[in-house]
Amino acid sequence: MAKIAVLGYGVVGSGTVEVFYRNKENLEKKAGEQLDIKYILDVRDFPDSPYADKFVKDFNVILNDPEVSVVSEVIGGIKPAYDFVKSALLAGKSVVTSNKELVAAKGAELLKIAKEKNVNFFFEASVGGGIPIIKPIHTCLEANEIDDIAGILNGTTNFILTKMIRDGMGFDEALKTAQELGYAERNPAADVEGTDACRKICILASLVFGKHVYPESVHTEGITKVTLEDVEYIDSYDAKIKLIGCAKRSEGDKIFIGVFPAVIRNESQLSGVNDVFNAILVRGDATGDVVFYGKGAGKLPTASAVVSDIVSAVKHAGTSRSLTWKDSEQSFVRPFEEFRCANYIRLCADNIKAAKDKAGEIFGDKIEFLSSKKQHDNELAFITDVMTEKETLNACEKLSENAKILGRIRVLDY
Ligand code: HSE
């Protein structure tokens, strides 16, 4: 019998235990042996839980129990999760985790330890909640050269943007609803500032490009500056605003990587992804675009990925089936100022005619002006031609001599 320990009994931890016992019989058939959760680690007491006898507060009880072969870390954050995961791997136990912060910061090191110890380190739940994405990229898409990967990677912000776009709901109310539904991080700043999506695109880029991409090297912006006015103008452009994490291969084996709100045309497969749903578009040289879609956050979808990894770890005990990537230097990531795309710009000016002429002068004749039902007389919105980030910033500075820039959102072509 394989004995499992679950570290953390929060939203994902309790979901993991629930899915495990709900489907235990089937899971055992798939794993080829009997399974049980021996311990649940949490600092809190759960005297009324049906699993009350499994709770422990000291991680060493788990670490020093040779019967435990798989540890499932669903605490989140770096401390104490990193120490727990590292010592479990070093003790020869496989680890599965939903912790994107940990994998994005320490993935290369933990994967190396797992290989050396001939155990598994799986993290399907760290990206896209219940959507299978890590294993499919690692196995089913192995035949492809992947040059581009982009996704809606955060359920909370997608939920908020959907409420703004569909219902004209304010940001705060939408965030509160997402928190009540258990989608948001403990600190929702990680969602709305783009940090959570940044960690996820780092994991995907590390997997696709084979070298660890650290969050510090990723240009990251959240959705806090997106307004209902922007939503209206972009609607008139037959597009939607989505928080996108993307990573593209560039010259000399380098990559561009970033997280930011982006204008996505309605014909894109990503534009119709609403509410808490996530989608990840993988551009393979043989497959073309493949899109993975599903619930990217929430108790049971995330638990589904954790429990699947537990079964895989049991099935592959004694062999290291973990994917790998190398550690890397930051120079692998190209400076974001060289990133090229079109831009949506919204401004206001006392003399709107002069500002419009100036915008035409600065951005050239490919500029496309937008209109909105609620447009103010002193307001202007337009889409520029494709240009580098540096050129765009310089152009905006010139434009600011005659106008106040109220918003700028990059336009992506997925
Ligand atoms: N807060 C995250 C989200 C949870 O909203 O997507 C899943 O990683």
Side-chain angles (χ1 to χ4, degrees), residues 119-396:
V119 292
N120 287 300
F121 179 51
F122 292 142
F123 40 86
E124 185 62 61
S126 66
V127 181
I131 307 172
I133 180 68
I134 308 272
K135 250 186 247 167
I137 291 181
H138 178 48
T139 55
C140 318
L141 293 174
E142 225 171 12
N144 289 261
E145 276 296 317
I146 297 168
D147 286 334
D148 208 333
I149 180 160
I152 294 168
L153 299 168
N154 183 270
T156 301
T157 45
N158 203 40
F159 182 86
I160 293 171
L161 289 171
T162 304
K163 290 281 171 212
M164 291 173 80
I165 293 167
R166 272 201 199 148
D167 309 336
M169 190 188 269
F171 180 90
D172 292 337
E173 197 186 341
L175 172 59
K176 197 167 160 273
T177 315
Q179 282 175 303
E180 283 164 6
L181 291 168
Y183 302 148
E185 295 298 299
R186 262 178 296 183
N187 174 5
D191 295 297
V192 298
E193 302 291 353
T195 319
D196 177 73
C198 167
R199 291 171 182 144
K200 293 168 179 167
I201 194 68
C202 284
I203 296 170
L204 293 176
S206 303
L207 174 60
V208 164
F209 300 110
K211 289 188 213 168
H212 196 114
V213 182
Y214 288 92
E216 301 74 44
S217 62
V218 179
H219 177 93
T220 303
E221 291 172 34
I223 61 162
T224 51
K225 291 188 191 139
V226 174
T227 66
L228 289 173
E229 285 83 0
D230 298 323
V231 165
E232 287 265 338
Y233 280 110
I234 285 162
D235 183 53
S236 78
Y237 185 58
D238 288 331
K240 305 248 169 357
I241 305 172
K242 294 284 169 195
L243 183 69
I244 299 288
C246 57
K248 295 168 187 290
R249 198 186 297 277
S250 175
E251 298 112 53
D253 255 352
K254 295 201 170 186
I255 62 162
F256 279 120
I257 181 163
V259 173
F260 42 82
V263 175
I264 301 289
R265 296 305 291 258
N266 285 344
E267 61 258 31
S268 163
Q269 299 191 73
L270 296 181
S271 85
V273 177
N274 291 315
D275 298 316
V276 73
F277 285 89
N278 284 192
I280 299 125
L281 181 151
V282 183
R283 206 159 264 181
D285 67 342
T287 54
D289 289 354
V290 180
V291 179
F292 297 84
Y293 171 87
K295 283 191 180 154
K299 179 173 168 168
L300 297 184
T302 311
S304 153
V306 174
V307 173
S308 302
D309 275 352
I310 291 175
V311 173
S312 295
V314 171
K315 261 189 351 207
H316 302 301
T319 56
S320 186
R321 294 287 183 101
S322 308
L323 49 95
T324 57
W325 60 65
K326 289 187 210 141
D327 212 344
S328 73
E329 292 172 14
Q330 302 300 350
S331 57
F332 163 58
V333 174
R334 272 185 78 177
F336 195 69
E337 60 175 26
E338 293 163 19
F339 183 76
R340 285 174 63 80
C341 65
N343 291 271
Y344 153 87
I345 293 173
R346 181 167 69 91
L347 56 80
C348 67
D350 292 336
N351 184 342
I352 203 68
K353 163 128 194 5
K356 191 170 183 177
D357 291 346
K358 182 91 175 196
E361 210 179 282
I362 295 171
F363 290 100
D365 54 11
K366 292 228 174 112
I367 194 167
E368 185 177 338
F369 291 100
L370 306 179
S371 62
S372 142
K373 281 183 221 131
K374 295 185 192 147
Q375 185 162 2
H376 295 293
D377 292 343
N378 67 343
E379 201 175 70
L380 192 64
F382 56 87
I383 306 282
T384 71
D385 197 4
V386 172
M387 52 211 288
T388 65
E389 188 69 16
K390 193 172 178 184
E391 286 164 347
T392 310
L393 291 175
N394 288 340
C396 286

Side-chain angles (χ1 to χ4, degrees), residues 22-86:
R22 187 199 287 180
N23 299 335
K24 187 169 175 288
E25 212 174 296
N26 247 326
L27 297 173
E28 287 174 333
K29 280 189 203 139
K30 287 167 190 163
E33 67 178 293
Q34 287 191 308
L35 309 170
D36 203 12
I37 293 176
K38 184 166 184 183
Y39 301 110
I40 304 171
L41 180 83
D42 204 290
V43 288
R44 297 163 296 175
D45 290 309
F46 295 88
D48 301 329
S49 162
Y51 313 109
D53 60 326
K54 298 183 188 292
F55 280 90
V56 291
K57 289 192 165 68
D58 180 3
F59 174 67
N60 287 313
V61 172
I62 294 166
L63 189 66
N64 296 327
D65 185 337
E67 267 194 350
V68 174
S69 57
V70 181
V71 172
S72 162
E73 185 277 305
V74 284
I75 306 169
I78 300 289
K79 273 191 177 173
Y82 171 58
D83 290 337
F84 291 172
V85 168
K86 189 170 169 176

